Amino acid sequence: MDNLINHPGVIVGFAVLVVVMLLLDLGVFNKKVHAVSSKEAAIWSIVWISLSMLFSGVIYYVSGFEKFTQFQSAYWIEKALSVDNLFVFILVFGFFNVPKELHHKVLFWGIIGALIFRAIFIFAGVGLINLTYLPEMTLFGHEVRINIVLLIFGLFLVYAGIKSGLSSDDDDEEKDFSKSAGARLIYKFFKVSKEFDGGKFFTIENGIKVATPLLVVVAVIEFTDVLFAVDSIPAIFAIAPDDPLILYTSNIFAILGLRALYFLLANFIHMFSLLKYGLAVILSFIGIKMVIAPIYHISSPLSLSIVGGVLVLSVIASLIFVPKEKSEGH
């Protein structure tokens, strides 16, 4: 089956769609700084998911069912991991006391950074994978070609899945985000004011140009997204290690819908308390898939079914077994 990269029309269409939607988002629908309502967030969530599904339909038409399921698998894996990351965004905004009407701007610039960093990670990763195949060998009676990078990624994901399942939510709640790498970078190069100045990243204080806390928050979100990518990017390499465009387009579509999802779920994130266990299972499953891939290939349709099933079950379990102290507090 042809790689998506062999179809320039699909690539150009994706690039134009992303640029147009971002321009509309920033220049038309959110020209004035405002707090995003649940209704507006729901509409944008539907728009982004619909565009993602429409694009996957184009992939099905151009490249067939296998590439379609690869896109869907990578998309929903990234989407699922993003939901878990929303909790950290909420903590960051709360820590810096960011006004609600500025949340959208912070997330917008966070996504612009993600567009750049994800491209670097994915295309460099695929290139590295292509360079690290070992010579063909016999293993357990099978002729196999082991890839060192995919093997390391797989083992890391199994470890990350186990660690995620055993971690406590209190670890993030007690974190001092002013000491994160992103914040330290801004403090190192700029003097930072104590107060926000609307949606400005820089302001004049006592006749001197200084950065505002909003720039610090954007830097923290950008650095946090890079850390998120450490889990999500290796996970999607298990889906289509030879097709960077499938990986990048699915990843970006999932991220582009993240802002709307944040505003939609921010007040209900406590209702997904068991989702982290589902994500832990998904990370471990993807890791195992990568480790055993040279000997046994788990097809993309089966992977999509397992990922989808685990997600649905963890969400249903979260809604049924809401922690008592959290349900009383909301």
Side-chain angles (χ1 to χ4, degrees):
M1 192 67 68
D2 291 340
N3 286 353
L4 190 60
I5 199 169
N6 294 329
H7 301 279
V10 176
I11 300 170
V12 172
F14 168 75
V16 171
L17 177 62
V18 169
V19 171
V20 169
M21 290 301 294
L22 287 176
L23 289 175
L24 285 173
D25 189 353
L26 185 64
V28 179
F29 296 109
N30 291 285
K31 193 172 184 179
K32 294 182 178 180
V33 174
H34 67 287
V36 178
S37 65
S38 295
K39 179 180 178 182
E40 183 181 349
I43 291 172
W44 273 103
S45 290
I46 293 171
V47 167
W48 281 118
I49 292 175
S50 298
L51 287 174
S52 304
M53 296 303 100
L54 181 63
F55 187 80
S56 71
V58 173
I59 291 175
Y60 177 78
Y61 177 77
V62 170
S63 298
F65 183 69
E66 178 69 18
K67 291 298 178 184
F68 168 80
T69 55
Q70 287 180 356
F71 177 93
Q72 288 284 343
S73 296
Y75 174 81
W76 290 111
I77 287 172
E78 180 62 38
K79 199 73 163 176
L81 293 173
S82 295
V83 172
D84 194 43
N85 298 339
L86 294 182
F87 179 68
V88 179
F89 289 170
I90 293 171
L91 292 178
V92 170
F93 287 138
F95 181 88
F96 290 100
N97 295 313
V98 182
K100 285 189 176 182
E101 62 269 20
L102 298 180
H103 288 192
H104 180 275
K105 184 170 185 176
V106 172
L107 294 175
F108 178 88
W109 287 107
I111 284 172
I112 295 299
L115 288 171
I116 298 169
F117 288 118
R118 299 300 174 102
I120 294 172
F121 292 160
I122 290 172
F123 285 90
V126 170
L128 185 61
I129 288 171
N130 289 333
L131 293 173
T132 54
Y133 279 98
L134 295 178
E136 192 171 280
M137 63 183 72
T138 302
L139 189 64
F140 301 117
H142 297 272
E143 294 295 324
V144 299
R145 286 194 71 198
I146 295 175
N147 185 281
I148 297 298
V149 170
L150 290 179
L151 178 61
I152 292 173
F153 280 169
L155 294 172
F156 169 75
L157 288 175
V158 173
Y159 164 77
I162 295 173
K163 183 180 178 182
S164 175
L166 297 177
S167 67
S168 169
D169 293 335
D170 295 335
D171 294 342
D172 282 326
E173 291 178 354
E174 297 173 359
K175 188 173 181 179
D176 183 352
F177 291 102
S178 66
K179 295 180 180 178
S180 72
R184 291 202 307 269
L185 186 66
I186 299 300
Y187 289 130
K188 181 178 180 179
F189 289 101
F190 303 101
K191 182 178 179 181
V192 180
S193 65
K194 294 183 179 180
E195 302 294 332
F196 289 91
D197 186 7
K200 297 178 181 179
F201 292 126
F202 293 93
T203 189
I204 302 298
E205 194 174 77
N206 298 323
I208 301 174
K209 188 176 183 179
V210 296
T212 68
L214 191 64
L215 184 64
V216 177
V217 176
V218 170
V220 172
I221 292 294
E222 293 282 12
F223 181 74
T224 302
D225 181 71
V226 171
L227 292 181
F228 292 162
V230 172
D231 283 343
S232 63
I233 298 301
I236 62 174
F237 277 133
I239 305 301
D242 61 339
D243 200 332
L245 264 298
I246 282 285
L247 302 180
Y248 185 65
T249 54
S250 60
N251 207 266
I252 295 309
F253 268 119
I255 291 173
L256 286 171
L258 180 58
R259 282 169 305 140
L261 199 61
Y262 167 81
F263 292 110
L264 189 61
L265 298 181
N267 294 326
F268 308 100
I269 200 72
H270 65 283
M271 298 176 65
F272 298 91
S273 59
L274 300 182
L275 180 62
K276 76 167 191 173
Y277 298 109
L279 297 178
V281 171
I282 290 172
L283 285 175
S284 297
F285 163 71
I286 296 298
I288 292 171
K289 174 181 175 176
M290 295 174 85
V291 171
I292 68 174
I295 299 174
Y296 181 77
H297 172 67
I298 300 177
S299 68
S300 293
L302 179 58
S303 296
L304 178 59
S305 299
I306 293 173
V307 169
V310 171
L311 269 179
V312 171
L313 288 175
S314 60
V315 170
I316 292 175
S318 296
L319 296 175
I320 294 175
F321 304 104
V322 179
K324 186 175 180 181
E325 65 275 11
K326 293 189 177 182
S327 62
E328 290 176 350
H330 290 265

